[in-house]
Amino acid sequence: MRGFTHRRLVRGAALAGALTIALAACSSGGSGAPGTTPSTASSAAGQSALEQGGKITVWAWEPTLKKVVADFEAKYPKVTVDLVNAGTGNAQYTALQNAIAAGSGVPDVAQVEYYALPQFAIGGSLADLTSFGAASLDGTFTPGPWASVKQGNGIYGLPMDSGPMALFYNKSVFDKYGIAVPTTWDEYLTAAQKLHAADPSAYIANDTGDAGFATSMIWQAGGHPYTVDGTNVKINLADAGSTAFATLWQKLIDQKLLAPISSWSDQWYQGLGNGTIATLTIGAWMPANLESGVAAGKGQWRVAPMPQWTAGGTATSENGGSSLAVPKASKNQQLAYDFIKYADAGAGVQTRIDGGAFPATTADLQSAAFVNKTFDYFGGQKVNEVLAKSAADVVKGWQYLPFQVYANSVFNDTVGKAYVSGTTLQQGLKAWQDSSVTYGNDQGFTVNK
Amino acid sequence: MAPKEWQLVTQTHPAPARAPRSRRRVARSWVGWGFIGPFMTVFTLVFLAPIVYSIYLSLFRQQLVGGNSFVGLDNYRRAFADAQFWSSVARVGLFLAVQVPIMLGIALFVALAIDSGRLFGRNFFRISIFLPYAVPAVVATLMWGFMYGTRFGLIGNIDAALGITLSDPLSPGLVLASIGNIVTWEFVGYNMLIFYSALRVVPTSLYEAAEIDGAGQFRVISAIKLPAIRGALVIATIFSIIGSFQLFNEPSILQNLAPNAITTYFTPNLYAYSLSFSGQQYNYSATVAIIMGLITMAIAYVVQLRGMRKEA
């Protein structure tokens, strides 16, 4: 008796649910929604998912997404997007790994930085977006980020922003001591010496060992320390590019030309504001951070192309930047894909540019409005001109390890020694390579065999 | 006298008690379970289950490529040959050997001073020495971290004011001592309060007797006070041993300020944390946690045995 009523209840509920869905489909079909006509055939499935509505959870720390989500929900009233900040970078990856391992609480969309994407893709945690037609977006994004979201034949995320590198410098400091803005790394070293000699409290840059920065420098120098082919991995942190970086940076460390201040610390913001840290070689997403975090530096900072390893060169690399990916465990993958497409390749891009983000879409990077925008913070400089040029000059063929998150976490255990003891950077890089190799083999990859 | 009486009572009872006993035993066992059931449920869920699950985890290995597989005691074999793990154990061992005696010594000294009744402003001292314990460890570490700063912190200010260059407290060679300083600052008050409350319950008649016998203050301390609070000393030592082996908050927070001085395997707990959260090596992390638990138990047990033996 009890079983019967229970079953009847369930059946009733199911019927009611079906009716609601039918009604919903009917009403949305009826309204026609002129603003939402499908543009390509591949998005037809997405269209129905958007009309049907539903709820997706997005894990991201990118602040400009707030507005994107609001716009998206306004455009598709049946869709509810729950934007959650589950931590920045590694903190969020930890939460995501745990959710995936536990098999519950997995979000439908997650922000994943390019360096971490292979780890999630190889682990089988992310949905391959080619089945939703992501391959048709080829050419929409700049080559660097687009290569970063591809793994073999699969596409595991859509590039949200990018970080082509440039040299941010405090013009007032350079002017004060009559130092020319360096165009090569040799000039950079000379400038560092001049600056520190002129003012012992001033440094050309801060560095306490940063894996993301080091790999980006090696990338620009033409190094290919990581070669990944499926689960076959080669690690060589003694190749020409790595050695070029280690040699230059060792000189800066030995001559005590780097401020021993960690990025994003209190001291760092102070140093950027008071002229004791004179340059930042960093990704194109930095302007918004400078404006919000270093108010004291207003009018003093400028952006120049990244110093070169050979005079007259134009090579650059990417530093940071992230994608939006869809975890395989998501129950609403189609809707999730529609959202990331809206945010990364649709109307959401302009919203985020207005919010200060640096896009990864070619069209926006080339648009006159974007390139010609002047920045008061940078003394009226057309900053995006330099940054967009850098995006086009990124050295091709770079690969991150499929376990880069782990490798980066032990960077300071190994390479970091060079900053505080007699160990050289080259020895540090060798130790970093060794621990990466051990970990990779331990995790079932074939590394350096 | 007493045992004989007891025997008598138990001997007189068996015959009449026989029949009801079997019935009562059944009833008693159910009633008993009823009473301890809620406790046992919670105990099993929050104490036994995690331990059993950790042991279960430690017998497997999850790989990014190849999935999960049973590996028996491989993780334990790996841990015993893991130089990073043993270096972290040695580090907390050194910490234990140096910091705990200093901390307990200061705490004992302060407790005796306050208890002596000769201290002016006794309550003020008691409160202000205990106060750091009320500051959350995270806040305390951040605060000390700023003070340790050689550029804008207290150390930097001292350097600037006196025109000297103190060595950086967050350099690899000094960072363990700096952490010891923070932990001592945090826990002297707590241990002082344990000792002080133990001293308060010593009967004053003993002191009077000592005075009549003409004993001085030091004699009172060594002959009355210290033996009286031996139990408290043993407890405080055991707590401190466990605390040292579980050192985590302080190095974990200072790591942001001194990333190159504090490695990811600085203490066993930090190592277990890094293994599971940066490397997804949950299985090996569980193994490390279990081994550390066993080591801590063994050392705490030895201390307890020694403390008891002296007491007897």
Side-chain angles (χ1 to χ4, degrees), chain A residues 213-224:
Chain A
F213 173 75
T215 45
S216 290
M217 289 291 284
I218 294 170
W219 180 346
Q220 191 217 8
H224 291 100

Side-chain angles (χ1 to χ4, degrees), chain A residues 94 97-98 119 122-123 201 203 208 231 261-262 267 270 403 405-406 409-410 412-413 416-417 419-420 439 441-445, chain B residues 61-66 78 84 146 149-153 172 255-257 259-265 277-282:
Chain A
T94 303
Q97 292 279 10
N98 288 347
Q119 178 152 334
I122 289 265
S201 72
Y203 295 89
T208 54
T231 58
I261 295 172
S262 297
Q267 298 194 10
Q270 288 186 32
F403 43 89
V405 175
Y406 170 81
S409 79
V410 297
N412 288 93
D413 286 358
K417 292 268 177 289
Y419 290 83
V420 291
Y439 178 83
N441 283 321
D442 216 49
Q443 291 294 322
F445 294 92
Chain B
R61 189 170 60 173
Q62 170 93 43
Q63 292 175 299
L64 281 170
V65 181
R78 180 181 157 189
Q84 294 191 339
F146 289 134
T150 48
R151 297 179 60 78
F152 301 109
Q255 202 174 31
N256 296 322
L257 299 173
N260 301 320
I262 297 174
T263 54
T264 56
Y265 50 90
F277 288 141
S278 318
Q280 283 91 50
Q281 293 163 296
Y282 304 109

Side-chain angles (χ1 to χ4, degrees), chain A residues 179-196:
Chain A
I179 300 168
V181 177
T183 59
T184 66
W185 287 114
D186 284 337
E187 288 177 22
Y188 186 84
L189 177 62
T190 320
Q193 291 160 340
K194 266 192 191 168
L195 174 64
H196 195 57

Side-chain angles (χ1 to χ4, degrees), chain A residues 247-268:
Chain A
T247 313
L248 167 80
W249 223 246
Q250 189 66 53
K251 286 179 196 158
L252 287 161
I253 293 173
D254 286 344
Q255 298 172 31
K256 301 202 187 310
L257 300 174
L258 298 170
I261 295 172
S262 297
S263 298
W264 313 106
S265 66
D266 236 31
Q267 298 194 10
W268 185 66

